[in-house]
Each structure stands twice: as structure tokens, then as C-alpha cells.
Amino acid sequence: MAEPAAPPAPPAGGYVFKPHERPLMPGSPASPDHPLRRQIFYLLIGLYLAIVGGFQNGLLIANLTAMQGHLDLTPVDAGWVTVAYNMTNACMSILLYKSRQQFGIQRFVRAVMIALLIANFVQLFDAGYRMELVARGVSGIAASGLSTLAAFYMMQGLPQKLRIAGFLLAIGLTQVAVPLARAMSPLLLADGDIANLFVFQFALSLVAVGLVNILHLPPGETMRSFEKLDLVTFPMLAVGVGLLCAFLVQGRIQWWSTPWLGGALAAAVVLIGFAFLIEHYRANPMLQTRWMGSRDLVKFALTGALVRVLTSEQNFGATGLLSTVGLVNDQLVTYYVVLTAATLLGALLAIARLDPTDLRRPTLVSLGVIAVGAWLDTHSGLRTGPVNLYFSQAAIAFAAVYFMGPMLMEGLLRALTKGPSYLVSFVGVFSLSQTLGGLAGVAALSAFHTLRTKAHLMTLGQTLATTNPDLARGIETIAAGLTGSISDPALRSATAASQVVREAAREATILAFNDVFFVIGSLAGIAFLIMLARWVYDRRRGHNPLAAELEALQKMRAANL
């Protein structure tokens, strides 16, 4: 039987915290009373770190096509770049959490900053595809640490009673960085040189390193966190999650019937299953599998994954639609500025309206907003432009982040009242549900869109028969317009016919996107009705699902004071 965890050790220097200054848990910084000026600087640094952390993924998503052309990558190669980032970002939060507990907050800060510098430094030399994979993998680690670091800095910059708002705001601002990166990218690539992007990222990382070294986080307490068996279970879990990410990303690129994808999925299930089996029977587990398998936490994870699946309509559906009608990033700057503003509004309103006694309402509102936004887009056509999507996509961007703060609050309440050892399980559940939910959403929508595009092409193909008089007249009209550039009548007719076929393919693609919007709207509507019924039932009974957790948290606060 493993030995129980050692009690927290005091910080370096032997400083003894006052009761109200003590860290919330080992691995977190203390909460001393700062002067106002220092609080402001903590807050500003936290804001900056949150944006930089979000840019690690946002700039990759926004410029993946440009990077693909610059490095001469196939779509499969570009998919592996996405896999490299997500596989490390999804599970490294677990390792980083335990590292903070074992080695302290200052070593954690140094490790995150080193990872950030390495990720962005190696890209400056244009070292090719393999080095890009390494850089993206390290970037996923850095982004995972930066979101936590931003939360710590923002919590130091706010009064005691508002520090939970700082944590939630840091997570929300990380999401704001994704559309902001899309809005800024055309400016960075105005001269067509992707090296500007790498220089910009490296400059951001240098400023981040300077800021955290100018103003350190307060010290914290440490405890013995790692055990030898962690060296077995974590690699199994990480490799399993990596294979699952590869399956979800490459499945939609190479299609699901590719033989090796089945092997990757089977290996992922086996590895993750064995890791959880070992954790289940450990005396001092890294992951509290019994708690993770409880009804409340399973519902929490499924809800978070569902909302992430539904909001992937924005990254796949709306973006794909605008690309199909011929728009490029340079023409979408205003569109992404609107999405950035909506995302920021969602993050701020989620905090302003946070009610610990009713944490389910924001998720309910988000589902309703997603349903309405998706249904509004079901009438898109060849003439649809960004201005036609401002309202619907801004609503979905708002909903994508509005639910996250209350959801995080619910998970934190459930974990905190169980004890520090349960927080690593919550971190794992939340990270995996968000990352895998997003990848699964894009994968499922992509597969559905491909099938519906083929179905619409078959339907439209029936109208493209040469005996159709309307089609013949249309081809003749197009051919007549080509007289000035093509002298051969046969070649003019062939060119006109190929244009008609291309337009039919575009129309089929857009009709398939409308089907995607309809499915997303329907799923969100059904989820909204189910959750609404449960919410109304609890409200009428005066029942708060988190009443026990809130009471336990109040007792913990009273004991610390």
C-alpha cells in the first residue's frame, strides 16, 4: 500500500502565512494583501498572459492554410500539426498541476516560460515540417500552463471576494484570443511573408518572460505529489489521448475507412482503459476514477463536451461556408472583430451574472442561443456574405464562452469540497472534455457534410442532363461571354460546361452546410428542452444541485478565517 501524501511544506525562506493569506491548496500561490499599484500590475500581466496563451492555438488555426503552403504540406501533414498541439494541450494540465504541487509555483513558472520560448524560438529558423511538429507539441504544453498562470496573476490583482472572477476571466480571455488571432492575421501576412507570424509570436513570448520575471507570484506551499506509479499511468493516458486526437483529426482528412485509424482507435481505448484501471485500484491515485465515474461528474463532462461539439459549428460550418463562396481572411477582418467582441461580452457577462445558487442557467441560455443562431444560418446561399452572419455567429461566439465560467465554477465546487487530490481529476475531465469535444465536433460535422454534399450533387446531377433546355441555354450564354478570350467554339462550350459543373458543386457544398446548421440547431434545441425541463423541476422544488458543495465551501472558508 502506498504511503499517504505528505503534509504541505512551507515555502522557501520559511515565511509563515497569515490565515487569510494561505494558498487555497498546495501548488497555488499565497494571497497576501497587495498595495493597489501592485494589484493593477498583477491584473494587467494576467490579461496579457491570457491573450498570449490563447494565441498559441488561435494563430495556428487562423494561419494553418498559409503554413501548409509555406512548408509545402499535404492536408494530411497539416492535420498532424493540429494533432501535435492538441495531444499535448489535452493532457499536460494534469502533469503541470502535480508539478506545481511537488516543485512549487516558481519552478512551474520557469518551466512554462521555457516551453513558451522554445516553441516560438525554433519556428524563427524555418527548420521544416518535423521541427514544426515539435514546436506545436511544445506550444500545446505552454498554452496549458499559460492559462493557469494567467488565472493566478489575475487572482492576485483582485480583492479576495472577487478572485474567483479573476480565474474565470482568464479562461474566458483565452477563448477571446482565437477570433482575435483571425482578425489580426491578415495584417501580419500583408506582404505574404509567414515569417512575420513567427517573429510576432516570439516577441509576445519575450515580453511574457520579462513580465513574469519583473513581478513574481507570491510563494506557495508544496507537498509530495508524484509517485512511481504515475510514471506508468500518465504515459499510457497521454499516448492514448494522442492516438484519439489523431483518429479524430486524420479521420476527417483521410476518411474513416482508412485501416490504420481503426488500429489507432483500438489502441487508444486500450491504453486509456488500462490507465484508468490502474488508477481505480491505487491506494493514492492520480485520478479519482470513482468520483470521475459518478453521475454528477459524468453529466458535467458530457454537458461540457456537448456544448463544445455544438459550438464547433462556428469553426467548421460558418468558416467553411464563407470559404466556399470565395472569401479569404483579408475580407473577413470585420467579421472576426465582431466575433471577438461577442466572445469578450460572453466572458464578461458570465462573470457579472455568476450566481452560485443557479449555475445551470447559463448553460441553458447558451444552448438556446446556439439553437437560434444555427437555425438562422440554414438559408445560406451563394450570395451569403459576412454581413449576413454577423448576428447569428456573434450569438454562437457569445454562447461558446458564456457557459464556460459557470461550468468551471460547478466543477471547482465539486472538486474543492472533496479535497485537493480531486482537483487534478477535475482538471483532467475539463481539459479532455473541451479538447476532445471540439475535435469530435469538427470530425462529426465534417463527415456529415461530406455525405450530404454527395447527396446534393446526385440530386443536382439529374438536372445537368444535356437534354435539359434551360441548361443548354445557360451554357450557350456563358460560352458567348467567352468569345473575346477563346476563339475555338468547341473549347468555349467545354469551358462553359465545366463552369456550370463547378457552380453545381459549390451549390451542393453550400446546401450541405445548411444541413449542418439545421442539425446543430436541432441538437441544441433538444438539449435546451431537456435541460429546461430539469431546471424548472429543480426551481419549483427549491432544490439547488450544488447546495451541499456550497455549504461545505462556506465551512472551509470559516475554518481558514
Side-chain angles (χ1 to χ4, degrees):
M1 180 178 294
E3 297 179 2
Y15 180 78
V16 178
F17 297 116
K18 300 173 184 177
H20 71 281
E21 292 181 337
R22 290 199 62 187
L24 186 62
M25 66 200 73
S28 300
S31 302
D33 298 322
H34 300 295
L36 179 61
R37 184 176 176 221
R38 190 186 301 163
Q39 279 187 308
I40 293 173
F41 281 119
Y42 271 123
L43 186 61
L44 293 176
I45 293 173
L47 292 171
Y48 180 80
L49 293 177
I51 296 297
V52 173
F55 272 166
Q56 299 305 300
N57 186 38
L59 289 171
L60 170 65
I61 294 174
N63 299 284
L64 188 59
T65 302
M67 187 180 298
Q68 183 177 336
H70 176 72
L71 296 175
D72 195 22
L73 305 181
T74 65
V76 173
D77 294 335
W80 284 115
V81 175
T82 303
V83 171
Y85 175 87
N86 284 284
M87 67 184 292
T88 54
N89 185 254
C91 55
M92 281 304 297
S93 55
I94 298 173
L95 187 63
L96 291 175
Y97 179 86
K98 292 181 74 71
S99 298
R100 292 202 316 270
Q101 290 185 319
Q102 179 91 19
F103 303 111
I105 188 66
Q106 294 305 327
R107 290 183 179 178
F108 165 76
V109 172
R110 287 195 291 271
V112 171
M113 290 298 106
I114 289 172
L116 181 66
L117 283 175
I118 290 175
N120 294 316
F121 179 70
V122 296
Q123 291 184 303
L124 294 175
F125 301 98
D126 198 13
Y129 173 56
R130 293 182 179 177
M131 189 57 69
E132 182 63 28
L133 289 177
V134 174
R136 288 299 99 196
V138 179
S139 183
I141 300 172
S144 180
L146 278 171
S147 60
T148 303
L149 199 55
F152 286 155
Y153 269 89
M154 295 188 74
M155 291 170 74
Q156 295 293 324
L158 293 171
Q160 189 77 29
K161 61 180 180 180
L162 296 178
R163 284 185 175 172
I164 189 64
F167 174 80
L168 300 179
L169 182 59
I171 303 300
L173 287 177
T174 302
Q175 303 301 312
V176 172
V178 177
L180 180 60
R182 287 186 179 273
M184 293 177 57
S185 291
L187 299 175
L188 295 171
L189 303 180
D191 60 355
D193 187 1
I194 198 172
N196 296 336
L197 175 67
F198 302 143
V199 172
F200 177 68
Q201 284 187 287
F202 185 62
L204 291 177
S205 63
L206 285 177
V207 174
V209 171
L211 290 175
V212 300
N213 279 284
I214 290 171
L215 185 59
H216 293 269
L217 286 171
E221 298 172 337
T222 59
M223 60 178 287
R224 188 171 65 84
S225 177
F226 284 107
E227 295 184 357
K228 292 181 180 179
L229 207 52
D230 293 338
L231 300 176
V232 177
T233 55
F234 181 78
M236 292 175 66
L237 180 64
V239 173
V241 170
L243 289 172
L244 193 54
C245 290
F247 171 79
L248 293 173
V249 173
Q250 294 292 355
R252 64 184 175 87
I253 298 174
Q254 303 186 39
W255 200 243
W256 308 100
S257 57
T258 304
W260 74 266
L261 289 172
L265 179 60
V269 171
V270 170
L271 287 169
I272 295 173
F274 268 117
F276 276 81
L277 184 65
I278 294 171
E279 291 295 307
H280 192 74
Y281 290 103
R282 286 177 64 179
N284 188 27
M286 178 176 65
L287 299 174
Q288 303 288 343
T289 54
R290 290 175 175 81
W291 180 64
M292 293 170 68
S294 64
R295 180 182 176 184
D296 288 335
L297 208 68
V298 169
K299 285 166 57 179
F300 167 84
L302 290 178
T303 301
L306 172 64
V307 177
R308 186 53 60 201
V309 167
L310 296 177
T311 53
S312 19
E313 181 261 13
Q314 189 154 77
N315 289 329
F316 172 77
T319 301
L321 172 67
L322 293 173
S323 177
T324 301
V325 299
L327 299 175
V328 295
N329 283 346
D330 290 358
Q331 299 166 294
L332 300 175
V333 172
T334 304
Y335 170 73
Y336 285 117
V337 168
V338 171
L339 297 193
T340 300
T343 306
L344 180 60
L345 177 63
L348 296 176
L349 195 60
I351 296 170
R353 300 286 298 170
L354 186 66
D355 181 3
T357 64
D358 191 9
L359 291 174
R360 301 291 172 84
R361 182 183 296 184
T363 303
L364 189 63
V365 171
S366 294
L367 289 171
V369 169
I370 292 169
V372 173
W375 280 328
L376 287 174
D377 291 338
T378 54
H379 302 292
S380 301
L382 287 170
R383 296 185 177 181
T384 297
V387 68
N388 304 113
L389 303 180
Y390 281 173
F391 178 77
S392 60
Q393 291 303 308
I396 293 176
F398 169 86
V401 72
Y402 182 63
F403 89 100
M404 191 172 291
M407 183 187 173
L408 270 169
M409 183 74 174
E410 177 181 343
L412 282 172
L413 281 174
R414 294 190 184 281
L416 282 172
T417 53
K418 289 285 185 179
S421 62
Y422 285 78
L423 274 166
V424 67
S425 301
F426 160 70
V427 168
V429 168
F430 181 77
S431 298
L432 292 175
S433 69
Q434 295 300 290
T435 301
L436 296 181
L439 293 178
V442 173
L445 294 180
S446 176
F448 176 75
H449 178 265
T450 300
L451 295 174
R452 292 303 300 159
T453 299
K454 292 180 180 179
H456 287 301
L457 272 174
M458 292 178 64
T459 303
L460 292 173
Q462 298 173 5
T463 66
L464 297 180
T466 55
T467 56
N468 186 334
D470 294 331
L471 175 65
R473 283 194 295 271
I475 292 177
E476 289 175 1
T477 301
I478 296 173
L482 297 173
T483 303
S485 56
I486 302 176
S487 58
D488 186 352
L491 183 57
R492 283 201 304 269
S493 296
T495 303
S498 66
Q499 287 186 13
V500 170
V501 172
R502 284 197 299 271
E503 287 302 306
R506 288 177 66 198
E507 186 174 350
T509 302
I510 291 173
L511 290 173
F513 276 121
N514 286 339
D515 294 339
V516 168
F517 299 144
F518 177 79
V519 168
I520 290 295
S522 299
L523 289 175
I526 293 170
F528 171 80
L529 293 175
I530 293 173
M531 185 167 286
L532 177 63
R534 181 66 187 180
W535 181 79
V536 170
Y537 177 72
D538 287 339
R539 297 291 286 182
R540 285 183 174 178
R541 290 193 306 153
H543 172 64
N544 180 8
L546 295 169
E549 285 78 5
L550 287 170
E551 183 180 355
L553 186 62
Q554 289 178 352
K555 291 180 179 178
M556 289 170 60
R557 285 178 175 174
N560 287 336
L561 294 176

